[in-house]
Amino acid sequence: RDDTSFLWPNFMFKKKEEESNDRQHVFLAVVKEHPNENFKPLSIRRWAEMLAGESDISFTLAGDISKVMRESPFPAFRFETKGCHKSNMGDKQFEFALLRDDNLASFGA
């Protein structure tokens, strides 16, 4: 059994409003494992395992993160994630930020 099959469509990137502004947008990965539960944090390890596979969920996750980037209002941005270590990647929530980069945008002009 593919143990990621229950996740879709109960997975999403949630914008972290308190840390987002006109210079950066921060997103958290959250998952609802059972229909009656609230969304909860998705660990870096679990997100990476799901993304690294070749199942439908892997392609969907890649498409989801690409969509967030495509829909960014920034003319150019840097993609950044928090660091982790193998000892804490099972506990830390997957999070990423799109940081507006006007200098990078000027290269395409």
Side-chain angles (χ1 to χ4, degrees):
R1 158 172 123 74
D2 178 1
D3 65 350
T4 62
S5 61
F6 66 90
L7 292 174
W8 193 253
N10 297 316
F11 167 85
M12 69 177 182
F13 291 116
K14 181 178 178 188
K15 190 172 183 182
K16 198 172 180 182
E17 296 295 340
E18 67 274 11
E19 292 186 30
S20 296
N21 54 47
D22 63 341
R23 301 292 308 158
Q24 72 175 12
H25 288 175
V26 179
F27 296 88
L28 301 169
V30 293
V31 65
K32 185 188 294 191
E33 293 188 22
H34 302 286
N36 297 332
E37 289 184 355
N38 292 326
F39 280 95
K40 65 180 186 177
L42 182 65
S43 73
I44 295 169
R45 177 188 310 273
R46 189 73 182 114
W47 187 84
E49 289 170 349
M50 291 177 356
L51 186 65
E54 292 189 25
S55 67
D56 289 344
I57 191 72
S58 302
F59 295 108
T60 301
L61 290 175
D64 284 355
I65 201 165
S66 295
K67 182 179 182 204
V68 169
M69 289 187 247
R70 277 193 316 273
E71 293 178 352
S72 169
F74 305 144
F77 58 83
R78 292 187 321 271
F79 175 89
E80 296 186 0
T81 61
K82 289 188 173 184
C84 71
H85 184 269
K86 66 181 179 179
S87 65
N88 68 6
M89 67 187 291
D91 300 318
K92 284 180 92 172
Q93 183 175 17
F94 177 70
E95 176 178 336
F96 68 92
L98 303 181
L99 304 172
R100 183 179 177 133
D101 190 333
D102 294 331
N103 289 328
L104 184 61
S106 68
F107 284 110

